[in-house]
């Protein structure tokens, strides 16, 4: 029988809860008809935000939401999104050339902060450095963070109904500046970063600025950025990394070989983390450039979601995507010493989504279930854990005397039996949650919202035997003695 070993005394670092964050962009159906259905909607809502999503975000303890883009951020003027809603301008959305939609600005900074608070999540704002000035962003920070009764922007915030400052800590300095964010070279971006970051940092105490890091395996970008920023440092608390996997057949009707192909692409995340990190530490930048993998997930052909292609990039989520989530989150846990935060793209009606929604309907996808199953890792001490079978991905952590072990069977062809050994501690009972389906192409729809749903079991005398069905995900919690 194959084995899973957990080495309890071997600690790899603290798993930042922010590793379990999400990204919500003004793109397709993410915001409008996604998180926001409007106060007059047939869907149950709080201030127009879907109550179903709020409740589920709280249940999974999603700690942080990145907003407003993505590419949308490149042309976003935050001033368009404040004040009386009826007076807000309609603008060309960045994605307009793809879907013909315009941005009504009904969700702006105040509403985003409200949504975060309803969900119990922290805001992470990606600022536009492509088409606005450092002063524009300084003003945005002023609006968000200046204490009541100080600046004119604090007074404007108060006039808009929000006397107390939002104290937004995390700010992205640009987005994908190697691409849609201005097609910059790393040298040019590093110079711009210093200029923007200096002005932004000056606006409020306690800010944590995230620079634009590489596109996936672009190790040259990180090398040049670190080379430039380490000699003349600007204020920086993290470096964003974006990595999507995809181009592995149809979203739903993939072949077994395409399953393998996608898993291999997802597994590349480990190398991407390790190689960028080795560059970061070679420049002594480990305190400035902790990795923020703030866009990750599967990017399949769109059109398979409930909107049938009306929502740009909306795609269904099968067991294959759930296994990618499980594998990726295990890699993040195992590398938690290098990672400040991660955000899956995107929250609803889009790529690698956690929810699908339209009008009165709203459902969880298998990806959501994986995030919910993995929440025991948040804030835990990551432990060394490995499996003797290469088709098994595993990670483990300890918090408050409980061990959380998450595993997935990466094979779509064979079930695997495993035996768990925890070196250094004993255990007896176990709570096991399993996400499995005989049909690996299974997915949830408005008509069948629980086609893929987790099952739970409590075992009083757990002997360590684990059966991982092909293409399945499992979370085991044991009380350590
Ligand atoms: O998530 C969709 C898009 O992917 C984002 O807007 C952009 O940052 C990335 O290229």
């Amino acid at each position: 029988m194959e084995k899973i070993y957990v080495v309890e005394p071997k600690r790899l670092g603290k798993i930042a809860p922010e590793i379990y964050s999400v990204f919500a962009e003004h793109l397709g159906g993410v915001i409008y008809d996604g998180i926001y259905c409007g106060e007059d909607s047939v869907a149950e809502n709080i201030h127009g935000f879907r109550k179903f999503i709020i409740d589920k975000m709280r249940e999974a303890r999603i700690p942080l939401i990145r907003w407003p883009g993505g590419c949308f951020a490149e042309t976003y003027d935050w001033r368009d999104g404040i004040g009386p809603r009826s007076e807000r301008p309609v603008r060309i959305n960045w994605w307009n050339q793809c879907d013909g939609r315009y941005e009504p600005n009904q969700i702006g900074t105040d509403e985003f902060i409200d949504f975060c608070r309803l969900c119990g999540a922290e805001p992470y704002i990606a600022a536009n450095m492509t088409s606005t000035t450092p002063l524009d962003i300084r003003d945005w920070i002023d609006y968000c963070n200046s204490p009541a009764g100080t600046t004119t922007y604090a007074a404007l915030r108060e006039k808009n109904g929000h006397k107390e400052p939002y104290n937004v800590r995390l700010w992205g300095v640009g987005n994908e500046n190697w691409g849609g964010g201005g097609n910059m070279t790393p040298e040019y971006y590093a110079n711009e970063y210093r200029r923007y970051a200096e002005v932004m940092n000056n606006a409020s105490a306690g800010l944590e600025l995230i620079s634009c890091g590489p596109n996936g395996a672009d190790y040259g970008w990180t090398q040049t950025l670190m080379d430039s920023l380490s000699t003349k440092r600007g204020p920086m608390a993290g470096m964003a990394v974006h990595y999507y996997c995809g181009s592995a057949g149809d979203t739903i009707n993939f072949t077994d070989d395409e399953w393998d192909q996608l898993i291999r692409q997802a597994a590349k995340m480990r190398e991407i983390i390790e190689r960028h990190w080795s560059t970061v530490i070679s420049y002594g930048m480990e305190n400035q450039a902790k990795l923020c993998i703030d866009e990750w997930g599967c990017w399949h052909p769109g059109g398979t979601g409930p909107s049938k292609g009306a929502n740009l990039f909306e795609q269904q989520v099968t067991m294959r995507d759930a296994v990618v989530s499980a594998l990726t989150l295990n890699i993040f846990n195992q590398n938690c010493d290098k990672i400040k935060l991660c955000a899956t793209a995107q929250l609803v009606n889009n790529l690698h989504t956690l929810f699908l929604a339209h009008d009165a309907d709203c459902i969880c996808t298998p990806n959501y279930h994986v995030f919910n199953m993995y929440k025991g890792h948040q804030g835990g001490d990551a432990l060394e854990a490995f499996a003797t079978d290469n088709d098994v991905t595993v990670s483990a952590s300890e918090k408050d005397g409980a061990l959380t072990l998450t595993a997935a069977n990466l094979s779509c062809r064979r079930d695997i039996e495993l035996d768990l050994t925890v070196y250094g501690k004993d255990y007896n009972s176990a709570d096991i949650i399993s996400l499995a389906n005989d049909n690996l192409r299974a997915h949830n729809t408005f008509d069948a919202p629980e086609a893929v749903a987790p099952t739970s079991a409590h075992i009083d005398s757990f002997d360590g035997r684990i059966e991982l069905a092909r293409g399945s995900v499992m979370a085991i919690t044991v009380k350590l003695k």
Side-chain angles (χ1 to χ4, degrees), residues 53-236:
I53 293 182
I54 291 166
D55 291 346
K56 290 291 178 187
M57 293 279 278
R58 283 190 169 270
E59 184 185 336
R61 301 204 289 267
I62 302 295
L64 180 146
I65 307 170
R66 177 175 182 251
W67 173 90
C71 291
F72 174 80
E74 324 298 6
T75 49
Y76 183 58
D77 183 343
W78 68 274
R79 292 182 182 85
D80 291 345
I82 57 167
R85 278 171 153 172
S86 58
E87 293 170 21
R88 295 186 193 176
V90 175
R91 302 283 188 211
I92 301 167
N93 184 299
W94 169 274
W95 298 101
N96 174 277
Q97 296 295 311
C98 303
D99 63 6
R101 293 194 189 180
Y102 293 88
E103 174 54 46
N105 282 303
Q106 294 302 292
I107 301 299
T109 304
D110 299 320
E111 292 80 17
F112 169 61
I113 298 289
D114 186 27
F115 179 63
C116 287
R117 288 179 177 172
L118 291 168
C119 294
E122 183 180 358
Y124 166 19
I125 294 183
N128 170 7
M129 74 173 297
T130 309
S131 57
T132 62
T133 67
L135 194 59
D136 291 313
I137 309 179
R138 200 277 304 262
D139 290 346
W140 197 359
I141 297 169
D142 183 353
Y143 182 84
C144 289
N145 290 2
S146 290
T150 57
T151 67
T152 301
Y153 278 116
L156 182 58
R157 187 187 64 232
E158 186 170 348
K159 186 175 159 215
N160 289 338
H162 311 279
K163 183 169 184 208
E164 297 309 321
Y166 297 142
N167 296 324
V168 178
R169 170 178 69 110
L170 291 157
W171 291 82
V173 186
N175 171 74
E176 297 195 350
N177 301 93
W178 36 260
N183 283 309
M184 299 178 190
T185 62
E187 293 87 351
Y188 183 84
Y189 174 75
N191 287 332
E192 286 294 274
Y193 178 85
R194 268 190 289 269
R195 191 162 75 95
Y196 278 74
E198 203 59 39
V199 173
M200 289 169 72
N201 204 47
N202 184 266
S204 172
L207 297 191
E208 295 189 22
L209 305 183
I210 313 299
S211 64
C212 167
N215 178 14
D218 183 355
Y219 302 112
W221 177 278
T222 302
Q223 173 87 32
T224 308
L225 194 65
M226 292 302 105
D227 199 41
S228 177
L229 293 177
S230 62
T231 45
K232 187 164 173 38
R233 291 179 193 221
M236 184 162 93

Side-chain angles (χ1 to χ4, degrees), residues 23 25 27 70-71 95 175-176 244 295 299 346 351:
F23 171 41
E25 177 171 5
L27 192 188
C71 291
W95 298 101
N175 171 74
E176 297 195 350
Y244 289 95
E295 287 189 33
W299 194 317
Q346 297 204 15
L351 308 170

Side-chain angles (χ1 to χ4, degrees), residues 243-246 269 295-299 315 324 328 343-345 351-352:
Y243 178 61
Y244 289 95
C245 48
M269 182 66 90
E295 287 189 33
W296 69 269
C298 297
W299 194 317
Q315 59 186 42
V324 167
T328 306
T344 191
L351 308 170
H352 207 75

